[in-house]
Amino acid sequence: MTSGYAAPIVELDEGSKNIYKLNQKELEKTLGRADIVGKKIALISIAGAYRKGKSFMLNLFVTYLEHLHKGGKGEWFDETTTLDKFNWRGGTKRDTNGIFIWSVPYILEDQNGEEVAIFLMDTQGTFDHQSTVQDCATIFALSTLLSSVQIYNISTQIQEDDLNNLRLFTEYAQLTKDENRQHAPFQKLLFLVRDWTNSDEYEYGYEGGKEYLKEEVLKTTPEQKKELKTLRESIKSSFESLKAFLMPHPGLRIARNNSEKVLGKIEEEFSEQLDILVPSLFKGDSLKAKKIDGKEITCREMVGLFEELMKIFNSDDLPEPKTILEATADAVNLAAEQRAREAYDKYMKEVTLGITKFTSSLADISTLLSLHQAAETQAFGVFSARPKLGEKSAAEANKNKLKEYIKTRYEEHEEKVKQNILIEAEREAEKTYDKHMK
Ligand code: GDP
Ligand code: MG
């Protein structure tokens, strides 16, 4: 077992019930790890009401990923499988509030054969037994905004309230809509229905889930109230992929409060579906990297997004969709500015490396100038390829900062060349002098 732990990324502020804060240190140690900064990221999250088996399920995800990591084939869990990774059954008050990320990323290949760092995210609402998604709206919203796959864990059936909790995302989606955008703002939402009892009508797994969504949950009819219809339609257009998986009951031993940290015996049906569900989450379209406005982001950009969103999601009063959009835009603009700076520096370094020394002529300055212009064009190209979110003026500010940076860097280069020319001229003069004196 690779040693990992559930890192608390978002925590309740000490001594307060509804103020959240970012644990910067843990964020840097996980998503910000130096060896993965430039890699694409898939963040697989599970959210939903308290005590419905989310952390229990995440333990099994880690088990499966460890199995893959070791090149294992065939059976990946049995009665001896341990469930000690994500704290489940509540645990202590202190370590169950907020957002946790499994500290170890698993590098898998996406559909294009490109590497993606997979991270798992656990969410936990307030520690009281009535806790519902509304009570931990902040955690639910944050995890949905950040993840590439949100697993919406629901007990026994999907109800109107469960859909209502998605309203914020539909409003956000509405804001980002414009005629040029083809993609939905959010990627994958998977309703994971636990303890499904109605398998006569809708069978377990994805097939039954698909029918259940189509025939009941997301069905719109002419008789339906307009509000219900609109909600369903906007949910469908806010997510790129919307699925449901109907999961059988695991057996009374699991459902009861047992304190064992091993899986033990589970219902055959549960075991069968587990073996379908878990592997399905780590292949195919579930491995699509996290995108913002249709553009894939890296681990480092995810860190930036986390930071920006935490500035506005600091209490249980949810920010307005417009505020969320602006914070997201700030994160992508800043990331684009940094990327563009790096592009300029990298290009300049490469082209000037070929020139061992700029020698004694003003022609060198004009060579440098044209290299600089090419580097600048590249850098601005990188900047304008960013997701186009939010107010134009915000992006304009970052663009100006980029311009300023490039100007300063160029002046430094120019200064160096001028000095070289001077040194070279002096050397020439000395040579002439020596010759003369001989
Ligand atoms: P969380 O608060 O959603 O993270 O829930 P936990 O993972 O801590 O699990 C709460 C309780 O539910 C534990 O006693 C688990 O053994 C039990 N449990 C786990 N999975 C299931 C399930 O699919 N159905 C039922 N009925 N109980 C489950
Ligand atoms: Mg939990």
Side-chain angles (χ1 to χ4, degrees):
M1 163 76 50
T2 316
S3 62
Y5 64 99
I9 304 289
V10 174
E11 300 168 300
L12 271 183
D13 209 6
E14 269 161 53
S16 87
K17 276 219 172 81
N18 66 348
I19 306 291
Y20 293 96
K21 64 174 201 294
L22 183 67
N23 186 330
Q24 191 78 37
K25 203 170 119 211
E26 291 295 346
L27 184 67
E28 298 293 339
K29 270 163 70 181
T30 51
L31 304 183
R33 276 165 62 135
D35 55 338
I36 52 162
V37 279
K39 282 203 203 315
K40 301 195 280 185
I41 181 169
L43 189 51
I44 299 175
S45 159
I46 188 162
Y50 172 72
R51 281 195 75 74
K52 301 293 179 208
K54 298 186 295 294
S55 305
F56 172 89
M57 188 54 86
L58 272 175
N59 275 299
L60 293 159
F61 293 0
V62 177
T63 305
Y64 179 72
L65 287 169
E66 280 294 328
H67 173 81
L68 276 191
H69 178 67
K70 290 197 210 102
K73 293 200 172 63
E75 226 171 71
W76 57 274
F77 67 96
D78 60 24
E79 292 183 15
T80 68
T81 294
T82 53
L83 301 170
D84 54 356
K85 292 110 195 163
F86 281 96
N87 204 342
W88 58 298
R89 298 191 316 108
T92 64
K93 240 183 204 178
R94 201 160 19 87
D95 57 16
T96 49
N97 275 311
I99 292 182
F100 298 82
I101 286 184
W102 186 244
S103 63
V104 184
Y106 294 88
I107 312 295
L108 297 178
E109 278 182 8
D110 68 6
Q111 286 164 315
N112 309 322
E114 289 171 34
E115 286 190 336
V116 187
I118 313 296
F119 278 98
L120 300 176
M121 190 191 235
D122 194 10
T123 62
Q124 199 79 32
T126 42
F127 192 87
D128 80 51
H129 292 249
Q130 283 96 50
S131 173
T132 60
V133 168
Q134 286 98 317
D135 292 332
C136 52
T138 295
I139 299 297
F140 185 69
L142 257 177
S143 64
T144 307
L145 290 166
L146 289 161
S147 58
S148 50
V149 178
Q150 176 68 296
I151 301 170
Y152 192 175
N153 195 62
I154 290 170
S155 184
T156 63
Q157 58 180 341
I158 306 174
Q159 289 174 313
E160 199 59 35
D161 266 358
D162 301 317
L163 295 185
N164 262 319
N165 290 327
L166 298 169
R167 206 173 278 279
L168 177 71
F169 312 105
T170 63
E171 286 166 13
Y172 178 98
Q174 204 60 36
L175 280 181
T176 63
K177 229 185 206 162
D178 81 28
E179 48 306 333
N180 303 321
R181 280 198 175 82
Q182 271 111 39
H183 40 260
F186 301 107
Q187 283 163 280
K188 188 163 181 163
L189 181 71
L190 173 65
F191 292 97
L192 179 57
V193 187
R194 310 290 283 266
D195 300 352
W196 181 251
T197 51
N198 205 0
S199 65
D200 289 346
E201 208 170 343
Y202 300 108
E203 59 181 1
Y204 296 132
Y206 284 115
E207 265 314 305
K210 189 174 164 186
E211 291 298 305
Y212 177 51
L213 284 187
K214 195 171 135 215
E215 303 294 332
E216 296 193 21
V217 182
L218 297 175
K219 190 174 182 170
T220 51
T221 59
E223 307 84 57
Q224 228 165 12
K225 271 202 208 138
K226 185 158 175 279
E227 199 196 314
L228 298 187
K229 216 170 8 193
T230 317
L231 178 62
R232 281 159 179 73
E233 271 154 12
S234 42
I235 288 174
K236 281 187 232 168
S237 66
S238 302
F239 292 88
E240 214 173 79
S241 156
L242 210 54
K243 287 188 176 155
F245 191 98
L246 307 178
M247 195 72 192
H249 195 286
L252 283 177
R253 207 187 48 79
I254 298 284
R256 271 191 215 121
N257 254 349
N258 69 60
S259 53
E260 294 161 47
K261 292 278 176 185
V262 286
L263 186 56
K265 220 172 153 39
I266 47 173
E267 287 292 324
E268 187 60 36
E269 289 181 326
F270 185 84
S271 172
E272 273 168 28
Q273 295 303 323
L274 196 61
D275 200 20
I276 297 171
L277 172 71
V278 181
S280 79
L281 293 171
F282 304 103
K283 62 175 182 226
D285 74 340
S286 294
L287 287 189
K288 277 188 184 163
K290 170 70 181 173
K291 287 187 234 165
I292 293 178
D293 198 20
K295 301 228 159 69
E296 289 173 336
I297 65 165
T298 62
C299 294
R300 180 168 47 185
E301 284 154 356
M302 178 64 92
V303 169
L305 185 62
F306 238 111
E307 290 167 343
E308 284 302 326
L309 289 181
M310 277 311 288
K311 287 182 192 160
I312 55 165
F313 278 96
N314 43 24
S315 76
D316 266 331
D317 302 322
L318 283 186
E320 292 294 317
K322 185 159 187 302
T323 315
I324 304 174
L325 181 69
E326 292 307 331
T328 310
D330 284 350
V332 300
N333 290 337
L334 187 63
E337 186 193 325
Q338 271 157 356
R339 267 200 206 193
R341 287 175 182 214
E342 282 162 15
Y344 177 83
D345 287 335
K346 185 162 174 264
Y347 188 93
M348 284 303 273
K349 195 172 162 195
E350 276 167 14
V351 291
T352 54
L353 222 56
I355 305 170
T356 47
K357 68 174 184 210
F358 283 94
T359 51
S360 56
S361 89
L362 276 177
D364 290 337
I365 300 280
S366 79
T367 309
L368 185 73
L369 185 64
S370 66
L371 295 177
H372 151 79
Q373 280 159 347
E376 188 175 48
T377 307
Q378 267 209 357
F380 282 119
V382 168
F383 186 80
S384 55
R386 80 194 185 286
K388 305 280 188 294
L389 284 176
E391 302 274 346
K392 279 211 175 66
S393 56
E396 220 32 60
N398 288 91
K399 198 173 173 183
N400 288 336
K401 276 197 239 157
L402 175 63
K403 253 186 213 156
E404 204 45 48
Y405 175 82
I406 291 176
K407 186 166 163 270
T408 316
R409 295 292 287 151
Y410 173 66
E411 283 162 4
E412 285 166 15
H413 283 295
E414 197 188 40
E415 193 49 40
K416 242 187 250 157
V417 172
K418 278 184 181 158
Q419 267 171 15
N420 279 346
I421 293 173
L422 270 181
I423 295 169
E424 202 58 35
E426 269 171 30
R427 224 176 267 153
E428 280 301 312
E430 274 168 24
K431 259 194 226 155
T432 324
Y433 175 80
D434 289 347
K435 222 174 170 181
H436 223 76
M437 295 301 283
K438 263 186 205 156

